[in-house]
Amino acid sequence: MSRPVGFLVTLAVVVLLSACDDSKNRLSALSGPTMGTTWSVKYTGAPDEGVEALKADIEAALEQVNAQMSTYRPDSNLTRFNNAEPGTLMNLPADTVKVLLAAFSLSEQTGGAYDVTVGPLVNLWGFGPDADRFEPPESSEVEEARERVGWQKLLLSEQQLLQPGGVYVDLSSIAKGFAVDKIAGLLDSQGVNNYLVEVGGELRGKGAKPYKQPWRVAVERPIPGVREVEQVVDLKDMAVATSGDYRNFFESQGRLYSHTIDPRTGYPVEHQLASVSVLHKTAMMADGLATAMTVLGPEAGMAFAKDHELAVFFIVRTEKGVEELSTPAFDAIVEGK
C-alpha cells in the first residue's frame, strides 16, 4: 500500500524567478537531501533569524523526522519498534504519535484500505527496504505476511506503543507529508508568509510568489518515461500530494505489479487508476489520502472523496487512453470558486 521513502510523486514545480532588487519581491530558495530524496523551500522576504539559521532549523527538523520514522535507518525509533520483542512497550516522540493517530483515523475511515502495518506485504513484494524482486511471491507467502498486518493490532496509550509481535509499521505514505508541514511551521515561526515547501514531491504553498503570482504546480501525465503536464493547480494556502503506479512497479510474464499493495487482499491493486492527486490543508493528510485513494481505486475512491468533501483529481486508464475525473471540491478550488 505505502510508498517507499524516496519515491518521487508525480508533481513538478513551476517557478517564475524575478530579477528585481526589491527584497519583498525576490524569490529565494533553499534545498538539500533528505529521506532518500530531496527537499526544497522557495520563499519571499527575509527570515527573522536569517537564512543560515532557517536552513539549519529545516535540516534539523528533517533529521528528526527521519530519525523517528524511517524504515531504512536501523537506529530509527520506528525500526527499533519493528524489531522489538513481543510485549515491548516503546515510548514514542510526540511527532510520531501525531502521525500514528492520523494514520489510525484514515485506516478506520477507509475500512482498512489505508494501513501503516502493511510493511510485511510491501517488503514481500519487493517495494520496501528489502531487496527488489522480479516475480510475484507464492500465495502461501502472501497469506503468511497478511497474518502480521492489521492496524488494530497496534495499541497506543498516550505515548506508549505496544509491539504485539511481528508487526511492522511503515509510515512512508504519510511521513514526508508531515515533514512538509513541519517545515511550513518553521517558516511561519520565522515570519515567512509566502513560501512553497516540497519534500520528495509532496508540496505545500502559502501566500504567493513575487508580484502576487500564485504558486503553481503541475500534475504529470501518467506515462512511464514521459514528462508531460496533465493538470496545473494553484496552491492557495494548501498542500497537494500525488500517488501513481507508473514509476514504481515490476513486470513478470507480461503482467505489471504496482508498488501499491492493498492490505485487505495482500496483493498489488489491479484497478485502472493511474494516479490520484489530493488537495488538503495539510500535507500530512494529503499524503495519506493519496495512498488511500490509490488503494480504493477510481470508483470507491471517488465515492469516498465525495462523501468526505475531499478535493481529489483522478487519472484513469481506459481503452481510449486516460480519462480525468475530479470531485466537486477539487473543481471548485481549480476554478477559484
Side-chain angles (χ1 to χ4, degrees):
M1 176 192 76
S2 54
R3 295 192 299 272
V5 173
F7 171 65
L8 299 180
V9 298
T10 61
L11 291 172
V13 183
V14 182
V15 180
L16 177 65
L17 296 177
S18 170
C20 181
D21 291 332
D22 182 356
S23 62
K24 292 183 179 180
N25 288 313
R26 184 182 300 125
L27 187 64
S28 302
L30 299 170
S31 62
T34 188
M35 302 181 187
T37 181
T38 59
W39 66 270
S40 70
V41 173
K42 295 175 175 64
Y43 65 96
T44 64
D48 291 343
E49 297 182 7
V51 176
E52 291 303 317
L54 174 62
K55 185 175 183 180
D57 287 346
I58 291 172
E59 290 176 336
L62 289 168
E63 168 59 23
Q64 185 180 64
V65 174
N66 214 17
Q68 291 181 22
M69 307 181 205
S70 172
T71 56
Y72 286 75
R73 287 178 51 162
D75 59 340
S76 73
N77 294 84
L78 199 58
T79 298
R80 290 190 290 110
F81 173 82
N82 289 337
N83 293 333
E85 294 294 324
T88 299
L89 269 175
M90 179 172 287
N91 289 311
L92 297 176
D95 281 353
T96 305
V97 172
K98 180 178 181 178
V99 173
L100 278 172
L101 289 174
F104 292 166
S105 177
L106 272 177
S107 296
E108 186 171 14
Q109 291 177 35
T110 61
Y114 182 86
D115 193 329
V116 294
T117 69
V118 75
L121 289 166
V122 173
N123 295 341
L124 176 65
W125 284 92
F127 298 113
D130 296 344
D132 294 341
R133 66 183 306 145
F134 303 98
E135 59 182 22
E138 297 293 333
S139 58
S140 59
E141 295 178 287
V142 174
E143 290 306 311
E144 183 178 348
R146 284 187 66 197
E147 292 296 319
R148 300 170 54 196
V149 174
W151 67 277
Q152 300 94 334
K153 299 177 186 291
L154 292 172
L155 299 178
L156 179 65
S157 177
E158 295 184 352
Q159 290 191 228
Q160 288 190 319
L161 186 65
L162 175 66
Q163 171 58 271
V167 171
Y168 183 102
V169 178
D170 184 348
L171 297 177
S172 59
S173 61
I174 197 169
K176 282 189 296 183
F178 174 79
V180 169
D181 293 334
K182 191 84 170 174
I183 296 174
L186 283 173
L187 292 165
D188 290 337
S189 70
Q190 288 286 317
V192 178
N193 298 314
N194 300 285
Y195 56 75
L196 181 68
V197 180
E198 182 262 341
V199 177
E202 323 295 9
L203 298 110
R204 177 169 167 174
K206 180 180 180 182
K209 292 193 296 184
Y211 304 103
K212 299 182 180 180
Q213 294 297 307
W215 298 110
R216 308 198 80 192
V217 299
V219 179
E220 286 183 348
R221 190 178 299 275
I223 302 174
V226 174
R227 293 275 180 176
E228 295 181 358
V229 174
E230 183 76 23
Q231 174 68 271
V232 176
V233 179
D234 295 348
L235 283 189
K236 301 175 182 177
D237 300 329
M238 66 180 59
V240 62
T242 295
S243 178
D245 68 354
Y246 60 98
R247 294 200 186 280
N248 195 7
F249 57 86
F250 71 83
E251 183 176 358
S252 177
Q253 297 183 353
R255 180 177 176 182
L256 297 182
Y257 293 89
S258 167
H259 77 282
T260 302
I261 309 300
D262 188 336
R264 301 167 300 180
T265 66
Y267 288 84
V269 295
E270 295 184 345
H271 50 64
Q272 296 304 304
L273 181 60
S275 77
V276 57
S277 299
V278 178
L279 296 171
H280 200 276
K281 286 296 183 182
T282 70
M284 177 177 68
M285 292 307 298
D287 197 6
L289 282 165
T291 297
M293 296 297 99
T294 303
V295 174
L296 288 171
E299 295 182 2
M302 177 63 79
F304 179 92
K306 286 182 176 180
D307 287 345
H308 292 80
E309 299 182 345
L310 300 173
V312 185
F313 177 73
F314 299 89
I315 302 178
V316 185
R317 294 187 185 89
T318 71
E319 294 180 356
K320 297 180 180 180
V322 295
E323 178 184 4
E324 297 179 0
L325 302 173
S326 55
T327 64
F330 182 90
D331 295 338
I333 291 172
V334 171
E335 296 168 5
K337 296 180 180 180

